[in-house]
Amino acid sequence: MSGYDIKRFLASLGWLVGSPSYGSIYPALHALLEDGLVSVEVFSALNKPPRKIYSITDAGRYALRKWIRKPVVANASLKAFLMRLILANNLTKPGLATHLEQRRAQVGTRHVALQRMIDELQEDADQGQRLALEYGVFIASAELAWLDEKLGQLSEELLLEEGEEGNITYEGDPLEEVSLE
Amino acid sequence: MSGYDIKRFLASLGWLVGSPSYGSIYPALHALLEDGLVSVEVFSALNKPPRKIYSITDAGRYALRKWIRKPVVANASLKAFLMRLILANNLTKPGLATHLEQRRAQVGTRHVALQRMIDELQEDADQGQRLALEYGVFIASAELAWLDEKLGQLSEELLLEEGEEGNITYEGDPLEEVSLE
DNA sequence: TCACTCATGTAATTGGTTACATGATTAG
DNA sequence: CTAATCATGTAACCAATTACATGAGTGA
């Protein structure tokens, strides 16, 4: 994608997590290029600004996998989760399942904690806070439902694949040994 | 509340929107105090750090109302919405309804746009992006459901109050003329 | 004894936004 | 004729996090 494309895509999810400005997208792309994690192809058209299409390199793919595999921090925000989700096609299916399960566990915990907070609120407590907490549990429930649905689909797919191909223990990553800073 | 309390409360919603660190909460509180928008009471206990409980002042309440009333920007994030929700008890009921309706309209638009984006995705499109977009529409639907529920409750309450008190055109704000920078 | 909760705060650094610059094309 | 879309980029500024400092009590 180009920087422009990235901005457009992220903007479509922006009401959920906010979306970065060009002032952070372009420099990030340049840094990635410098580090050899992405490559560029320039498409020039007459009387139009050239489109610079970035593609991930092998080194980039390796770095991405490393990033995506390290477990999300306990208090991870929706944004952190979504970013990993967007890049989830770079995970193996079991890897994606792990990610969704981690999220499920975290949101589940949060859901319980929020519900308890609401139950413990006094009658005369701040109504705005109660409203916000209620909103929180509602969204948490919805996310749990989505995660369960996706997780269900995934485990079905995994079972099918197992049946087809015998037992795959884990998909070995040939890039595992490459060093990268 | 104290800075510590604020942090704790926001942390409970933090998985949704992320929560600020002490390094931004305490300085913000100090600035608010300097501007006379909040006041402090210090509660000292033996061998314990003193608790500083902040309360909003009249000037603060006025500034807050001004902030809360100005319509949210078109692309407002969940965070901006939630912050207003938390402070919603400082709104009149019609004011709260307006806020929720604005959000409903925005999320509704986003929902349609996301659904169209998904429909327009090619078969071979990036699966991660599709997943993220699907997540987006799901959460959007959930939020719409919540907003409709709350909006329904609110309009009932408003009808009841009208019946009781006759016709209130709009609750006049006696602080409206106070100037504040 | 170690780690965590309570509770406040400051300084340095990082990261991001805002504002600017460029310029052709298309829709209202 | 104006505003918006396409498309890239830089520099100044601001807001936030991170890391530090302090210190008693509590539960494993």
Side-chain angles (χ1 to χ4, degrees):
Chain A
M1 292 170 104
S2 68
Y4 194 78
D5 294 335
I6 291 172
K7 168 84 171 155
R8 287 194 57 111
F9 175 73
L10 257 21
S12 72
L13 266 351
W15 62 281
L16 258 186
V17 291
S19 83
S21 64
Y22 290 124
S24 81
I25 289 177
Y26 286 123
L29 248 16
H30 300 331
L32 251 23
L33 190 63
E34 193 121 323
D35 293 347
L37 303 177
V38 296
S39 59
V40 215
E41 263 187 290
V42 183
F43 296 90
S44 299
L46 289 169
N47 288 335
K48 282 208 168 182
R51 281 177 60 77
K52 297 189 173 182
I53 309 293
Y54 292 85
S55 310
I56 195 163
T57 61
D58 284 340
R61 208 165 280 117
Y62 171 71
L64 181 60
R65 285 190 186 192
K66 249 178 62 176
W67 171 75
I68 229 168
R69 277 179 180 179
K70 76 173 153 196
V72 236
V73 283
N75 245 11
S77 65
L78 201 155
K79 188 176 181 174
F81 169 68
L82 244 193
M83 281 304 147
R84 280 180 157 73
L85 202 56
I86 291 168
L87 300 164
N89 66 329
N90 291 282
L91 283 174
T92 56
K93 260 184 192 147
L96 175 57
T98 304
H99 183 222
L100 294 183
E101 272 156 20
Q102 276 173 14
R103 179 71 180 172
R104 221 225 94 98
Q106 285 178 14
V107 178
T109 306
R110 281 282 145 222
H111 183 262
V112 173
L114 281 175
Q115 192 57 62
R116 198 175 45 233
M117 280 182 77
I118 292 175
D119 294 340
E120 282 169 8
L121 274 181
Q122 291 114 294
E123 206 56 47
D124 64 329
D126 185 296
Q127 283 309 112
Q129 282 177 33
R130 167 172 279 128
L131 213 53
L133 292 173
E134 280 175 17
Y135 176 86
V137 281
F138 197 95
I139 299 294
S141 306
E143 192 175 336
L144 287 175
W146 188 81
L147 288 168
D148 286 337
E149 195 192 304
K150 282 293 157 195
L151 242 13
Q153 283 173 20
L154 260 178
S155 68
E156 262 179 53
E157 286 172 30
L158 283 171
L159 276 172
L160 276 174
E161 281 175 25
E162 245 178 65
E164 283 165 16
E165 302 175 48
N167 54 342
I168 316 157
T169 50
Y170 215 106
E171 199 171 307
D173 187 340
L175 287 159
E176 203 72 76
E177 309 96 6
V178 179
S179 87
L180 189 109
E181 218 54 52
Chain B
M1 290 171 104
S2 68
Y4 194 79
D5 294 335
I6 292 171
K7 169 83 172 156
R8 284 194 60 110
F9 175 73
L10 257 22
S12 71
L13 267 351
W15 62 280
L16 259 187
V17 292
S19 82
S21 64
Y22 290 124
S24 81
I25 290 176
Y26 286 123
L29 248 16
H30 299 332
L32 251 24
L33 190 63
E34 192 122 320
D35 294 347
L37 303 177
V38 296
S39 59
V40 216
E41 263 187 290
V42 183
F43 295 89
S44 300
L46 288 169
N47 287 336
K48 281 207 169 185
R51 281 177 61 77
K52 297 190 174 182
I53 309 294
Y54 292 84
S55 309
I56 195 162
T57 61
D58 284 339
R61 208 166 278 117
Y62 170 72
L64 180 61
R65 285 190 185 193
K66 249 178 62 175
W67 171 76
I68 229 167
R69 276 178 181 179
K70 75 173 155 198
V72 236
V73 284
N75 244 10
S77 65
L78 202 156
K79 189 176 177 172
F81 168 68
L82 244 193
M83 280 303 147
R84 279 180 159 72
L85 202 56
I86 290 169
L87 300 165
N89 66 328
N90 292 283
L91 283 173
T92 55
K93 262 187 190 142
L96 174 58
T98 304
H99 183 222
L100 294 181
E101 272 156 19
Q102 277 174 12
R103 179 70 181 174
R104 221 225 94 98
Q106 287 178 12
V107 178
T109 306
R110 281 281 144 222
H111 183 260
V112 173
L114 281 175
Q115 191 57 62
R116 198 175 47 234
M117 280 183 77
I118 292 175
D119 295 339
E120 282 169 7
L121 274 181
Q122 291 113 293
E123 206 56 47
D124 64 328
D126 186 297
Q127 284 309 112
Q129 281 177 33
R130 167 172 281 128
L131 213 52
L133 292 174
E134 281 174 16
Y135 176 85
V137 281
F138 197 94
I139 299 293
S141 307
E143 191 175 336
L144 287 176
W146 187 80
L147 288 168
D148 287 337
E149 195 192 304
K150 282 292 158 196
L151 242 14
Q153 284 173 20
L154 259 177
S155 68
E156 261 179 56
E157 286 171 29
L158 283 171
L159 275 173
L160 274 176
E161 281 176 25
E162 245 177 66
E164 284 165 16
E165 304 175 47
N167 54 342
I168 316 155
T169 51
Y170 215 105
E171 199 170 309
D173 188 339
L175 287 159
E176 202 72 76
E177 309 97 5
V178 179
S179 86
L180 190 108
E181 219 55 50

